[in-house]
Amino acid sequence: MNSQLIDADERLATVFSHYYCVQLSPEEQPVTLQLMPNYEMLLVFNLGPAIPIALGGATYVIQKTAVLGPLQKMLTYELPAGTDLIVVNFTLDGFYRLLGVSMQELKTGDWHDPDVLLNKNCFSELWEQLAPLSELADRISLLNAYALTFVAPTNATSDSLRESIPYFRDAVVDPIKVLAETQQVSARRIQMRFQTHLGYSAKELTRFLRFRNLLNLLTRQHPQPPDWLNLVLTFGYHDHSHLIKDFQYYLGLTPRQFLKQLAQGNVCISKTGRFY
């Protein structure tokens, strides 16, 4: 399997963090992988055979293009022989700025056809332009050009979202209260901004960032057995059952099951982006 993470063009760094590109030769065996939640939007261009996925208790098949997210549950996907895949990993409100679609409209499911969202054939046409290109560099160049043409510029709301992220790393403060005071708007305005531009609440982001930090620590310490009591105290969980609840919510696994899958090497935790 040939897989690469290609960082976004600097001009698009506030739109998406990276491209995930993966290919399997026709002779290789299928590979099943799992991607941990990252609360970000994924735009998929599948240039090879159909890819079955499982997300949030539902199953789908990606034929050519798909939008996934905001990714709040573990994604399981099978890469068949001959896989040829490019995934655009958006960051913060990058998806909203590119498609101009309120994230509230994505609440109906975890999987969407991007052309249906826009009521246009934009992405099927883009797929048709990508398919004949054999060189990855040419494909990335085409995707960059498309994004630069259609993405909306940053504005005061985009800037405020980026500026707000540090508050969510501090477990001591109430980020919504602090943001409302510093930006001189109501707490409800802050909440609506998150829902419209990102697709989830500020409270959900706080909970997720704590859990992702926990997963990152477990990954770094692996295969050393974790000290669960210390982790409960370090990350501010009420007790061990509270920590287990987050594992069930995000992954559908117990902590022990997660460690077993981590040892098998088929778990992928998204790298930390430049914003969170």
mmCIF file of all heavy atoms in Angstrom, residues 32-66:
data_model
loop_
_atom_site.group_PDB
_atom_site.id
_atom_site.type_symbol
_atom_site.label_atom_id
_atom_site.label_comp_id
_atom_site.label_asym_id
_atom_site.label_seq_id
_atom_site.Cartn_x
_atom_site.Cartn_y
_atom_site.Cartn_z
ATOM 1 N N THR A 32 -8.331 -3.233 5.740
ATOM 2 C CA THR A 32 -9.361 -2.577 6.536
ATOM 3 C C THR A 32 -8.696 -1.682 7.570
ATOM 4 O O THR A 32 -7.811 -2.133 8.305
ATOM 5 C CB THR A 32 -10.265 -3.602 7.239
ATOM 6 O OG1 THR A 32 -10.918 -4.403 6.254
ATOM 7 C CG2 THR A 32 -11.319 -2.907 8.091
ATOM 8 N N LEU A 33 -9.092 -0.417 7.597
ATOM 9 C CA LEU A 33 -8.495 0.560 8.495
ATOM 10 C C LEU A 33 -9.587 1.286 9.272
ATOM 11 O O LEU A 33 -10.758 1.287 8.878
ATOM 12 C CB LEU A 33 -7.666 1.571 7.710
ATOM 13 C CG LEU A 33 -6.468 1.023 6.929
ATOM 14 C CD1 LEU A 33 -5.875 2.103 6.040
ATOM 15 C CD2 LEU A 33 -5.406 0.478 7.874
ATOM 16 N N GLN A 34 -9.170 1.926 10.361
ATOM 17 C CA GLN A 34 -10.095 2.706 11.177
ATOM 18 C C GLN A 34 -9.503 4.083 11.441
ATOM 19 O O GLN A 34 -8.333 4.200 11.787
ATOM 20 C CB GLN A 34 -10.377 1.991 12.500
ATOM 21 C CG GLN A 34 -11.141 0.682 12.318
ATOM 22 C CD GLN A 34 -11.309 -0.071 13.617
ATOM 23 O OE1 GLN A 34 -10.369 -0.216 14.378
ATOM 24 N NE2 GLN A 34 -12.516 -0.562 13.874
ATOM 25 N N LEU A 35 -10.324 5.097 11.267
ATOM 26 C CA LEU A 35 -9.913 6.469 11.522
ATOM 27 C C LEU A 35 -10.677 6.987 12.727
ATOM 28 O O LEU A 35 -11.911 6.960 12.753
ATOM 29 C CB LEU A 35 -10.194 7.352 10.298
ATOM 30 C CG LEU A 35 -9.889 8.849 10.453
ATOM 31 C CD1 LEU A 35 -8.398 9.087 10.693
ATOM 32 C CD2 LEU A 35 -10.361 9.621 9.214
ATOM 33 N N MET A 36 -9.922 7.466 13.715
ATOM 34 C CA MET A 36 -10.548 8.001 14.914
ATOM 35 C C MET A 36 -11.273 9.315 14.599
ATOM 36 O O MET A 36 -10.916 10.020 13.651
ATOM 37 C CB MET A 36 -9.488 8.270 15.986
ATOM 38 C CG MET A 36 -8.746 7.040 16.484
ATOM 39 S SD MET A 36 -9.788 5.870 17.367
ATOM 40 C CE MET A 36 -9.958 4.572 16.127
ATOM 41 N N PRO A 37 -12.286 9.688 15.383
ATOM 42 C CA PRO A 37 -12.982 10.961 15.157
ATOM 43 C C PRO A 37 -12.013 12.145 15.154
ATOM 44 O O PRO A 37 -11.055 12.167 15.936
ATOM 45 C CB PRO A 37 -13.941 11.049 16.350
ATOM 46 C CG PRO A 37 -14.116 9.651 16.809
ATOM 47 C CD PRO A 37 -12.824 8.958 16.544
ATOM 48 N N ASN A 38 -12.259 13.116 14.275
ATOM 49 C CA ASN A 38 -11.438 14.329 14.272
ATOM 50 C C ASN A 38 -12.284 15.607 14.200
ATOM 51 O O ASN A 38 -11.749 16.702 14.169
ATOM 52 C CB ASN A 38 -10.422 14.310 13.117
ATOM 53 C CG ASN A 38 -11.073 14.221 11.749
ATOM 54 O OD1 ASN A 38 -12.278 14.431 11.586
ATOM 55 N ND2 ASN A 38 -10.276 13.890 10.743
ATOM 56 N N TYR A 39 -13.620 15.437 14.166
ATOM 57 C CA TYR A 39 -14.555 16.571 14.143
ATOM 58 C C TYR A 39 -14.328 17.480 12.940
ATOM 59 O O TYR A 39 -14.626 18.673 12.986
ATOM 60 C CB TYR A 39 -14.494 17.356 15.452
ATOM 61 C CG TYR A 39 -15.511 16.858 16.455
ATOM 62 C CD1 TYR A 39 -15.479 15.545 16.903
ATOM 63 C CD2 TYR A 39 -16.521 17.675 16.934
ATOM 64 C CE1 TYR A 39 -16.411 15.053 17.790
ATOM 65 C CE2 TYR A 39 -17.464 17.201 17.829
ATOM 66 C CZ TYR A 39 -17.403 15.888 18.253
ATOM 67 O OH TYR A 39 -18.340 15.401 19.136
ATOM 68 N N GLU A 40 -13.810 16.916 11.871
ATOM 69 C CA GLU A 40 -13.570 17.685 10.659
ATOM 70 C C GLU A 40 -14.315 17.068 9.490
ATOM 71 O O GLU A 40 -14.788 15.928 9.550
ATOM 72 C CB GLU A 40 -12.062 17.770 10.384
ATOM 73 C CG GLU A 40 -11.331 18.573 11.462
ATOM 74 C CD GLU A 40 -9.822 18.537 11.316
ATOM 75 O OE1 GLU A 40 -9.311 17.722 10.513
ATOM 76 O OE2 GLU A 40 -9.156 19.312 12.005
ATOM 77 N N MET A 41 -14.437 17.841 8.418
ATOM 78 C CA MET A 41 -15.116 17.396 7.214
ATOM 79 C C MET A 41 -14.114 16.734 6.264
ATOM 80 O O MET A 41 -12.979 17.198 6.122
ATOM 81 C CB MET A 41 -15.774 18.574 6.503
ATOM 82 C CG MET A 41 -16.851 19.286 7.310
ATOM 83 S SD MET A 41 -18.248 18.223 7.710
ATOM 84 C CE MET A 41 -18.818 17.756 6.066
ATOM 85 N N LEU A 42 -14.560 15.671 5.602
ATOM 86 C CA LEU A 42 -13.742 14.968 4.626
ATOM 87 C C LEU A 42 -14.457 14.978 3.278
ATOM 88 O O LEU A 42 -15.650 14.662 3.201
ATOM 89 C CB LEU A 42 -13.501 13.516 5.056
ATOM 90 C CG LEU A 42 -12.931 13.281 6.457
ATOM 91 C CD1 LEU A 42 -12.802 11.784 6.710
ATOM 92 C CD2 LEU A 42 -11.586 13.973 6.628
ATOM 93 N N LEU A 43 -13.729 15.338 2.237
ATOM 94 C CA LEU A 43 -14.236 15.272 0.868
ATOM 95 C C LEU A 43 -13.442 14.190 0.145
ATOM 96 O O LEU A 43 -12.219 14.277 0.039
ATOM 97 C CB LEU A 43 -14.073 16.627 0.165
ATOM 98 C CG LEU A 43 -14.400 16.686 -1.324
ATOM 99 C CD1 LEU A 43 -15.845 16.285 -1.594
ATOM 100 C CD2 LEU A 43 -14.110 18.078 -1.883
ATOM 101 N N VAL A 44 -14.145 13.162 -0.343
ATOM 102 C CA VAL A 44 -13.496 11.972 -0.893
ATOM 103 C C VAL A 44 -13.642 11.938 -2.414
ATOM 104 O O VAL A 44 -14.744 12.112 -2.945
ATOM 105 C CB VAL A 44 -14.116 10.690 -0.293
ATOM 106 C CG1 VAL A 44 -13.418 9.451 -0.845
ATOM 107 C CG2 VAL A 44 -14.049 10.723 1.231
ATOM 108 N N PHE A 45 -12.516 11.689 -3.085
ATOM 109 C CA PHE A 45 -12.504 11.409 -4.516
ATOM 110 C C PHE A 45 -11.990 9.982 -4.683
ATOM 111 O O PHE A 45 -10.802 9.713 -4.464
ATOM 112 C CB PHE A 45 -11.602 12.387 -5.270
ATOM 113 C CG PHE A 45 -12.120 13.800 -5.283
ATOM 114 C CD1 PHE A 45 -11.691 14.708 -4.330
ATOM 115 C CD2 PHE A 45 -13.032 14.214 -6.243
ATOM 116 C CE1 PHE A 45 -12.169 16.013 -4.320
ATOM 117 C CE2 PHE A 45 -13.516 15.516 -6.248
ATOM 118 C CZ PHE A 45 -13.083 16.420 -5.287
ATOM 119 N N ASN A 46 -12.887 9.091 -5.052
ATOM 120 C CA ASN A 46 -12.518 7.693 -5.238
ATOM 121 C C ASN A 46 -12.329 7.433 -6.726
ATOM 122 O O ASN A 46 -13.285 7.446 -7.499
ATOM 123 C CB ASN A 46 -13.609 6.781 -4.670
ATOM 124 C CG ASN A 46 -13.263 5.317 -4.869
ATOM 125 O OD1 ASN A 46 -12.099 4.959 -5.007
ATOM 126 N ND2 ASN A 46 -14.278 4.475 -4.893
ATOM 127 N N LEU A 47 -11.091 7.177 -7.120
ATOM 128 C CA LEU A 47 -10.741 6.991 -8.529
ATOM 129 C C LEU A 47 -10.515 5.521 -8.864
ATOM 130 O O LEU A 47 -10.029 5.197 -9.951
ATOM 131 C CB LEU A 47 -9.508 7.821 -8.863
ATOM 132 C CG LEU A 47 -9.692 9.324 -8.580
ATOM 133 C CD1 LEU A 47 -8.349 10.028 -8.479
ATOM 134 C CD2 LEU A 47 -10.550 9.978 -9.640
ATOM 135 N N GLY A 48 -10.847 4.656 -7.911
ATOM 136 C CA GLY A 48 -10.681 3.223 -8.101
ATOM 137 C C GLY A 48 -11.987 2.492 -7.848
ATOM 138 O O GLY A 48 -13.069 3.069 -8.010
ATOM 139 N N PRO A 49 -11.917 1.231 -7.434
ATOM 140 C CA PRO A 49 -13.144 0.463 -7.176
ATOM 141 C C PRO A 49 -13.903 0.997 -5.963
ATOM 142 O O PRO A 49 -13.352 1.747 -5.146
ATOM 143 C CB PRO A 49 -12.622 -0.960 -6.926
ATOM 144 C CG PRO A 49 -11.190 -0.784 -6.532
ATOM 145 C CD PRO A 49 -10.693 0.424 -7.257
ATOM 146 N N ALA A 50 -15.165 0.612 -5.841
ATOM 147 C CA ALA A 50 -16.025 1.078 -4.759
ATOM 148 C C ALA A 50 -15.411 0.750 -3.390
ATOM 149 O O ALA A 50 -14.786 -0.296 -3.204
ATOM 150 C CB ALA A 50 -17.405 0.446 -4.881
ATOM 151 N N ILE A 51 -15.616 1.671 -2.443
ATOM 152 C CA ILE A 51 -15.047 1.527 -1.102
ATOM 153 C C ILE A 51 -16.176 1.460 -0.079
ATOM 154 O O ILE A 51 -16.914 2.434 0.111
ATOM 155 C CB ILE A 51 -14.109 2.704 -0.777
ATOM 156 C CG1 ILE A 51 -12.908 2.692 -1.725
ATOM 157 C CG2 ILE A 51 -13.647 2.660 0.679
ATOM 158 C CD1 ILE A 51 -11.957 3.841 -1.536
ATOM 159 N N PRO A 52 -16.331 0.320 0.608
ATOM 160 C CA PRO A 52 -17.346 0.226 1.658
ATOM 161 C C PRO A 52 -16.842 0.867 2.954
ATOM 162 O O PRO A 52 -15.670 0.726 3.307
ATOM 163 C CB PRO A 52 -17.538 -1.284 1.826
ATOM 164 C CG PRO A 52 -16.263 -1.891 1.355
ATOM 165 C CD PRO A 52 -15.675 -0.968 0.328
ATOM 166 N N ILE A 53 -17.731 1.589 3.635
ATOM 167 C CA ILE A 53 -17.368 2.222 4.897
ATOM 168 C C ILE A 53 -18.473 1.968 5.920
ATOM 169 O O ILE A 53 -19.622 1.677 5.574
ATOM 170 C CB ILE A 53 -17.145 3.742 4.750
ATOM 171 C CG1 ILE A 53 -18.466 4.452 4.422
ATOM 172 C CG2 ILE A 53 -16.095 4.050 3.703
ATOM 173 C CD1 ILE A 53 -18.364 5.975 4.491
ATOM 174 N N ALA A 54 -18.112 2.079 7.191
ATOM 175 C CA ALA A 54 -19.072 2.020 8.296
ATOM 176 C C ALA A 54 -18.813 3.236 9.169
ATOM 177 O O ALA A 54 -17.676 3.510 9.559
ATOM 178 C CB ALA A 54 -18.896 0.731 9.098
ATOM 179 N N LEU A 55 -19.896 3.960 9.478
ATOM 180 C CA LEU A 55 -19.765 5.202 10.235
ATOM 181 C C LEU A 55 -21.036 5.437 11.034
ATOM 182 O O LEU A 55 -22.129 5.445 10.475
ATOM 183 C CB LEU A 55 -19.514 6.373 9.286
ATOM 184 C CG LEU A 55 -19.398 7.771 9.883
ATOM 185 C CD1 LEU A 55 -18.220 7.858 10.854
ATOM 186 C CD2 LEU A 55 -19.237 8.810 8.786
ATOM 187 N N GLY A 56 -20.868 5.619 12.345
ATOM 188 C CA GLY A 56 -22.016 5.924 13.187
ATOM 189 C C GLY A 56 -23.091 4.863 13.157
ATOM 190 O O GLY A 56 -24.276 5.170 13.230
ATOM 191 N N GLY A 57 -22.711 3.587 13.031
ATOM 192 C CA GLY A 57 -23.674 2.502 13.020
ATOM 193 C C GLY A 57 -24.322 2.246 11.675
ATOM 194 O O GLY A 57 -25.150 1.345 11.541
ATOM 195 N N ALA A 58 -23.978 3.035 10.657
ATOM 196 C CA ALA A 58 -24.541 2.860 9.313
ATOM 197 C C ALA A 58 -23.438 2.467 8.338
ATOM 198 O O ALA A 58 -22.255 2.731 8.576
ATOM 199 C CB ALA A 58 -25.221 4.142 8.849
ATOM 200 N N THR A 59 -23.819 1.833 7.242
ATOM 201 C CA THR A 59 -22.852 1.436 6.214
ATOM 202 C C THR A 59 -23.174 2.150 4.909
ATOM 203 O O THR A 59 -24.341 2.403 4.592
ATOM 204 C CB THR A 59 -22.872 -0.084 5.985
ATOM 205 O OG1 THR A 59 -24.198 -0.496 5.607
ATOM 206 C CG2 THR A 59 -22.463 -0.826 7.247
ATOM 207 N N TYR A 60 -22.128 2.468 4.159
ATOM 208 C CA TYR A 60 -22.265 3.163 2.885
ATOM 209 C C TYR A 60 -21.248 2.590 1.909
ATOM 210 O O TYR A 60 -20.324 1.851 2.299
ATOM 211 C CB TYR A 60 -21.999 4.669 3.041
ATOM 212 C CG TYR A 60 -22.781 5.350 4.136
ATOM 213 C CD1 TYR A 60 -22.227 5.520 5.401
ATOM 214 C CD2 TYR A 60 -24.059 5.824 3.914
ATOM 215 C CE1 TYR A 60 -22.927 6.145 6.425
ATOM 216 C CE2 TYR A 60 -24.776 6.465 4.918
ATOM 217 C CZ TYR A 60 -24.204 6.615 6.171
ATOM 218 O OH TYR A 60 -24.907 7.231 7.170
ATOM 219 N N VAL A 61 -21.389 2.949 0.652
ATOM 220 C CA VAL A 61 -20.407 2.595 -0.372
ATOM 221 C C VAL A 61 -20.057 3.863 -1.135
ATOM 222 O O VAL A 61 -20.942 4.550 -1.657
ATOM 223 C CB VAL A 61 -20.954 1.528 -1.345
ATOM 224 C CG1 VAL A 61 -19.939 1.269 -2.461
ATOM 225 C CG2 VAL A 61 -21.262 0.234 -0.607
ATOM 226 N N ILE A 62 -18.766 4.185 -1.179
ATOM 227 C CA ILE A 62 -18.311 5.368 -1.910
ATOM 228 C C ILE A 62 -17.934 4.944 -3.325
ATOM 229 O O ILE A 62 -16.995 4.162 -3.518
ATOM 230 C CB ILE A 62 -17.103 6.022 -1.209
ATOM 231 C CG1 ILE A 62 -17.488 6.455 0.209
ATOM 232 C CG2 ILE A 62 -16.613 7.223 -2.013
ATOM 233 C CD1 ILE A 62 -16.339 7.025 0.996
ATOM 234 N N GLN A 63 -18.674 5.459 -4.297
ATOM 235 C CA GLN A 63 -18.417 5.115 -5.697
ATOM 236 C C GLN A 63 -17.408 6.084 -6.322
ATOM 237 O O GLN A 63 -16.355 5.660 -6.795
ATOM 238 C CB GLN A 63 -19.729 5.141 -6.481
ATOM 239 C CG GLN A 63 -20.774 4.154 -5.991
ATOM 240 C CD GLN A 63 -20.431 2.710 -6.311
ATOM 241 O OE1 GLN A 63 -19.495 2.429 -7.057
ATOM 242 N NE2 GLN A 63 -21.199 1.795 -5.749
ATOM 243 N N LYS A 64 -17.723 7.385 -6.315
ATOM 244 C CA LYS A 64 -16.841 8.383 -6.926
ATOM 245 C C LYS A 64 -16.512 9.520 -5.957
ATOM 246 O O LYS A 64 -15.357 9.776 -5.677
ATOM 247 C CB LYS A 64 -17.467 8.931 -8.213
ATOM 248 C CG LYS A 64 -17.534 7.921 -9.345
ATOM 249 C CD LYS A 64 -18.049 8.574 -10.633
ATOM 250 C CE LYS A 64 -18.024 7.593 -11.792
ATOM 251 N NZ LYS A 64 -18.494 8.222 -13.062
ATOM 252 N N THR A 65 -17.541 10.225 -5.480
ATOM 253 C CA THR A 65 -17.298 11.335 -4.554
ATOM 254 C C THR A 65 -18.228 11.204 -3.356
ATOM 255 O O THR A 65 -19.320 10.636 -3.457
ATOM 256 C CB THR A 65 -17.552 12.705 -5.226
ATOM 257 O OG1 THR A 65 -18.924 12.787 -5.628
ATOM 258 C CG2 THR A 65 -16.647 12.900 -6.427
ATOM 259 N N ALA A 66 -17.779 11.730 -2.227
ATOM 260 C CA ALA A 66 -18.601 11.710 -1.017
ATOM 261 C C ALA A 66 -18.090 12.762 -0.050
ATOM 262 O O ALA A 66 -16.903 13.117 -0.056
ATOM 263 C CB ALA A 66 -18.585 10.335 -0.358
#
